[in-house]
Amino acid sequence: MCDSDSHKEMLSIAKRLVAELEAGNNDQATSLVDELAHIREGELFQEIGKLTRELHSSITSFEIDSELCDITKSDIPDAKERLNYVITMTNQSANRTLTAVENAIPYCDALHDKSVQLGAEWKRFVNREMNADEFRQVSKTLEGYLAESEEQLDAVKGALNEILMAQEFQDLTSQIINRVIKMVDDVESHLVNMIKATGSAPVAAKEEEKGKLEGPQVPGLSTSETVNGQDEVDDLLSSLGF
Amino acid sequence: MPANPNMKILIVDDFSTMRRIIKNLLRDLGYNNTAEADDGQTGLPMLQNGSFDFLVTDWNMPGMTGIDLLKAVRADENLAKLPVLMVTAEAKREQIVYAAQCGVNGYIIKPFTAATLKEKIDKIFERIDG
C-alpha cells in the first residue's frame, strides 16, 4: 500500500471516528480505532520485510566476499605453486630432451662419417680399383662398422625413447593449467558480482606503459601493433630498407 | 656451407634451454665455435675481451636487456661493426622498428625454425661479405 493511499484511508477513518464519537457510538468508534491500528501494523510489516531483504542481500554479498577471501588466502598462493611446478616440469623436460639429443648426435655423426668412408671404398671395389690387401683392410673396417653401428643405433634408439618419455609433462601441466584457468574464471565472476552489488562505476583503464616488453604472442590475441610471424617481421624490416 | 665455420659466436639468453637449442642449431649449421652468456651484463665483457665475430641475443632478460646490449655494442668502437642477430619473443612493430634503428642486423621472433635461423645468418653474412 502506498503512502498517500494509507494517508487517505487513515484520514477517512479518523473523520468517521470523530463522527461516531460525537454521536456517542462507542462500539463503532472502538472498531475504527482497531482498523487504524491494523493499517499501522501493515506498514510496520512492510518495513520489516524491506529490512529483511536488505539484510539478506548484505549477507549474500558478504558471503561472496568471504569466498573471495578464501581464494586470495589459499587458491592464489596455491595457483602460484602449481604454475611454478609447471615451469619446473617443462624445464626438466626441455633439459632431458636436449641432453638426449646431444648424446645421440655424436653417434649419428659417427655413423654418417663411417658410411661415407665405406661407401667410397665400396665404389672403388665395385670399379675394380682395389687390390687384395686393400680389400682385406676394407673387409675388416666393414666388420667393425657393422658391430659398432648396432651398438650406436641402440644408443640412438635409447635417446629417442628418452625424448619420448620426456614428453610426459604435457598431460600433467595441462591439468594444472586448466585448474588455474578455472580459478581465474571464479575470481573474475566474484569480482563482477561484487561490482554489481556495490554498483561502483568502472574505473578507467590505465594507459599502456610505453616501450613495455610484451613477451610471447598468443595466437588469437595479437593486435595490429604486433606482427604475426616471421614473414611480417621480414616485410616490416624490408620496408625499412633491410 | 656456413659463412665462416670457424667464426666465434656469442649466444646471450637468460634461459639455458634456449641457449642449448641455439647452440645445437648453430652446430648443425656447421658453427662449432660458440660461447654463452645469460644476459647483457655478462655478455658485454665477454664481447669486449673475446674477439667474437657474431652475436645472437634475446631481448627480454634480467640485468641488461638485449636492446641495451645492442646499444652498448654499437657505442663501443671496437665492437661497433659486430653483426647482431636478435632472437626474441617480442613482436610489437614499434619494437622491431626500434631494434632496427639501434642497428640490429637481423630479427627472428620465437618460436622459430632451424631454416629461419640459417636463412637470417646467411643473409647477414652475404650482405657483409658482398
Side-chain angles (χ1 to χ4, degrees), chain B residues 20 34 88 101 116 123:
Chain B
R20 283 176 84 177
T34 55
T88 172
Q101 285 164 348
T116 304
K123 208 172 158 195

Side-chain angles (χ1 to χ4, degrees), chain B residues 17-65:
Chain B
T17 48
M18 186 46 73
R19 294 200 300 271
R20 283 176 84 177
I21 290 169
I22 293 173
K23 186 179 155 187
N24 278 298
L25 288 174
L26 287 172
R27 193 181 52 200
D28 200 45
L29 295 175
Y31 304 104
N32 286 297
N33 195 2
T34 55
E36 297 174 35
D38 60 3
D39 79 336
Q41 245 160 26
T42 48
L44 187 59
M46 288 172 79
L47 291 170
Q48 284 162 339
N49 303 322
S51 66
F52 281 92
D53 304 297
F54 187 36
L55 168 64
V56 179
T57 183
D58 184 21
W59 184 322
N60 192 3
M61 294 178 286
M64 186 186 202
T65 62

Side-chain angles (χ1 to χ4, degrees), chain A residues 87 90-91 94-96 98-102 105-106 109 208-217 223-230 232-234 236-238 240-242, chain B residues 15-18 20-21 23-24 27-28 59-61 65 89-97 99-101 103-112 116 119-120 123 127:
Chain A
I87 294 175
T90 50
N91 183 52
N95 278 308
R96 201 173 153 192
L98 286 163
T99 300
V101 169
E102 285 167 0
I105 282 174
D109 286 344
E208 200 183 315
E209 200 182 317
K210 206 169 158 56
K212 200 180 110 198
L213 296 176
E214 300 274 315
Q217 290 305 299
T223 64
S224 61
E225 289 175 6
T226 57
V227 292
N228 272 315
Q230 188 65 40
E232 288 190 20
V233 176
D234 297 348
L236 180 61
L237 288 176
S238 71
L240 295 169
F242 263 71
Chain B
F15 279 89
S16 66
T17 48
M18 186 46 73
R20 283 176 84 177
I21 290 169
K23 186 179 155 187
N24 278 298
R27 193 181 52 200
D28 200 45
W59 184 322
N60 192 3
M61 294 178 286
T65 62
E90 302 305 327
K92 275 176 99 175
R93 285 171 190 279
E94 62 173 50
Q95 279 162 343
I96 299 166
V97 171
Q101 285 164 348
V104 82
N105 300 79
Y107 197 103
I108 295 178
I109 54 166
K110 296 175 187 170
F112 65 101
T116 304
E119 184 198 320
K120 300 304 161 203
K123 208 172 158 195
R127 191 170 295 135

Side-chain angles (χ1 to χ4, degrees), chain A residues 19 62 97 102 143 155 203 226:
Chain A
F62 181 72
T97 304
E102 285 167 0
E143 207 180 327
V203 182
T226 57

Side-chain angles (χ1 to χ4, degrees), chain A residues 143-223:
Chain A
E143 207 180 327
Y145 169 75
L146 291 173
E148 267 173 39
S149 68
E150 201 180 321
E151 246 173 66
Q152 288 170 334
L153 285 169
D154 277 346
V156 171
K157 202 174 147 192
L160 290 175
N161 272 326
E162 177 72 4
I163 292 167
L164 183 88
M165 290 313 296
Q167 312 310 311
E168 66 186 353
F169 75 95
Q170 212 278 333
D171 168 34
L172 301 171
T173 53
S174 302
Q175 290 184 43
I176 290 172
I177 290 171
N178 276 330
R179 291 183 66 152
V180 175
I181 290 172
K182 197 191 162 295
M183 189 214 71
V184 172
D185 273 348
D186 286 349
V187 171
E188 188 190 18
S189 63
H190 281 304
L191 289 176
V192 167
N193 286 340
M194 272 176 76
I195 288 168
K196 277 185 189 159
T198 56
S200 311
V203 182
K206 218 167 83 181
E207 212 174 296
E208 200 183 315
E209 200 182 317
K210 206 169 158 56
K212 200 180 110 198
L213 296 176
E214 300 274 315
Q217 290 305 299
V218 178
L221 291 181
S222 52
T223 64

